[in-house]
Amino acid sequence: MSMHRKTITLTEQQDNWVKSQIESGQFGNDSEYIRDLIRRDQQAQQRLSMLRQALAEGESSGTPKPLDLAAIKAAGRQRMQTENS
């Protein structure tokens, strides 16, 4: 994997925060911390995209039906009995 050098500008407060994360031993240097932040953001964006897709599928799936809690509980009890048998 090729690496690219970037220059970023931080406020003093942000720089102190990054330094504290490194001093805590969680990261070896600034770059490791920034890459971790980017990975987390990428994962969050992927989860958000999946959630939006699921919402769109739900909205386009047709007319909603009333929630029948008694039927859901009965199905769960039946499943538990089947699994425990």
Side-chain angles (χ1 to χ4, degrees):
M1 176 187 333
S2 66
M3 301 294 264
H4 299 273
R5 183 173 297 275
K6 301 285 182 188
T7 302
I8 62 170
T9 304
L10 302 173
T11 65
E12 186 173 345
Q13 180 185 20
Q14 292 168 333
D15 187 51
N16 289 335
W17 176 258
V18 172
K19 287 177 182 175
S20 73
Q21 297 305 300
I22 295 164
E23 290 169 0
S24 74
Q26 294 180 350
F27 303 95
N29 57 43
D30 295 21
S31 292
E32 286 181 15
Y33 181 63
I34 301 299
R35 285 193 302 268
D36 184 66
L37 291 175
I38 292 169
R39 277 190 295 273
R40 289 181 194 203
D41 186 51
Q42 288 171 324
Q43 292 169 348
Q45 293 299 321
Q46 184 178 19
R47 286 191 302 269
L48 184 58
S49 176
M50 291 171 57
L51 178 59
R52 285 182 174 142
Q53 181 180 351
L55 287 170
E57 289 173 7
E59 289 174 345
S60 66
S61 68
T63 306
K65 299 174 185 164
L67 183 62
D68 185 351
L69 289 177
I72 294 170
K73 288 178 182 179
R77 288 186 187 109
Q78 180 65 35
R79 182 184 293 174
M80 287 176 57
Q81 288 178 348
T82 302
E83 290 174 358
N84 292 332
S85 299

